[in-house]
Amino acid sequence: MKKFLIGILLVCSGLSSVKDTNNPSHWIIGKWKMVTVLEGNQDISPVLNPDSNRWFQFEIDGNFQSGEGDRRTNTGTYDIDNQNNTLHIDSDAGEDDDSNWRIQFREDLLYMRGIGTNRQEMTTVISQRVN
């Protein structure tokens, strides 16, 4: 009986760990290469990412950095609401550079859709995880 109860506890704790790994705050950790930027149905990547080398990196401690190629261009902090699948970016570049996003993960892709003004809500950034 004792072994049975220990087995149930191990299974339950394993399930709670699996549940935690499904949280956006877990999946976002790492480096992401910007693949596509959409405004409505229009691909504006050639304007916002002409060299196809922009990236974001989210650290486990709540800090982020972003850049182009080997150059880091921005830093700051981020916060994720796991219940609502939203991301808030607080940029060190100033209040005008802060942003809010609805996020979704599909395979190795991160979809970020803007929250706020009509134009922000029409903007979707699609990034691919960098291994």
Side-chain angles (χ1 to χ4, degrees):
M1 181 70 166
K2 188 176 181 180
K3 287 182 181 179
F4 176 72
L5 290 175
I6 291 172
I8 289 176
L9 287 174
L10 289 174
V11 168
C12 290
S13 67
L15 290 177
S16 67
S17 295
V18 170
K19 182 179 178 185
D20 289 344
T21 62
N22 290 327
N23 285 333
S25 58
H26 170 81
W27 282 101
I28 203 162
I29 304 302
K31 190 170 186 178
W32 299 88
K33 178 184 176 190
M34 187 183 293
V35 177
T36 306
V37 182
L38 300 171
E39 191 169 75
N41 293 327
Q42 184 177 0
D43 184 353
I44 60 172
S45 304
V47 175
L48 295 180
N49 190 15
D51 297 324
S52 298
N53 66 349
R54 292 188 62 190
W55 53 270
F56 302 97
Q57 185 163 338
F58 298 95
E59 305 292 340
I60 198 164
D61 63 2
N63 289 301
F64 84 92
Q65 53 185 313
S66 62
E68 298 178 40
D70 294 335
R71 188 170 59 103
R72 183 176 67 188
T73 58
N74 196 5
T75 60
T77 59
Y78 73 93
D79 184 54
I80 292 189
D81 179 336
N82 287 316
Q83 299 289 32
N84 294 308
N85 292 334
T86 58
L87 164 68
H88 171 72
I89 295 178
D90 185 4
S91 169
D92 291 340
E95 201 172 296
D96 291 341
D97 206 40
D98 295 350
S99 57
N100 294 292
W101 305 87
R102 285 182 186 84
I103 57 174
Q104 185 175 21
F105 300 90
R106 293 185 188 155
E107 304 283 325
D108 64 343
L109 297 176
L110 166 60
Y111 291 77
M112 298 169 46
R113 184 170 191 144
I115 299 172
T117 66
N118 188 40
R119 182 170 184 205
Q120 289 167 327
E121 295 199 4
M122 288 179 53
T123 303
T124 302
V125 177
I126 303 169
S127 300
Q128 184 172 30
R129 184 180 297 280
V130 176
N131 293 327

